[in-house]
Amino acid sequence: NIDGETIVTQEDGTKTIYPADLGARCEPWDDGRHPACKEGKEPGLGNGWCAQTWCYVDACNCDLPVLPMVSDYVPDARYRGRPVFYSYATCGGKNL
């Protein structure tokens, strides 16, 4: 784990705090953090895409039937000069 936090600006402009090591390994990073992944929201805590594990991947070295997607969470971040990609499939999940 890395000390600190990553602040993600959601589509509606709200800010969500994630751990500094966001996406470093397969975890359900959004569950309980993303506004839609809280108790009483839709899909809600522990449900749907909120509960899916995902991680950041090197899209150039990702041999999966489902292509990784560009991350909206860290839009200015780059890996080897390219945008940062994430994948549910790498972690055994599905892009819901």
Side-chain angles (χ1 to χ4, degrees):
N1 291 346
I2 299 171
D3 289 334
E5 57 191 31
T6 299
I7 299 174
V8 173
T9 303
Q10 304 297 336
E11 290 178 7
D12 65 0
T14 60
K15 302 215 183 284
T16 305
I17 298 173
Y18 288 84
D21 57 350
L22 173 67
R25 62 193 164 279
C26 293
E27 283 194 19
W29 294 100
D30 294 306
D31 209 25
R33 293 185 180 100
H34 189 283
C37 299
K38 306 254 183 183
E39 197 68 47
K41 299 294 182 177
E42 189 65 37
L45 186 65
N47 296 307
W49 60 267
C50 296
Q52 289 284 313
T53 59
W54 61 269
C55 67
Y56 290 129
V57 296
D58 178 353
C60 295
N61 288 317
C62 203
D63 186 22
L64 295 168
V66 179
L67 295 175
M69 295 161 285
V70 175
S71 176
D72 292 334
Y73 285 6
V74 287
D76 297 327
R78 295 286 178 268
Y79 178 73
R80 296 185 178 175
R82 294 186 172 87
V84 174
F85 288 78
Y86 70 98
S87 171
Y88 290 103
T90 297
C91 299
K94 295 179 182 177
N95 187 12
L96 300 177

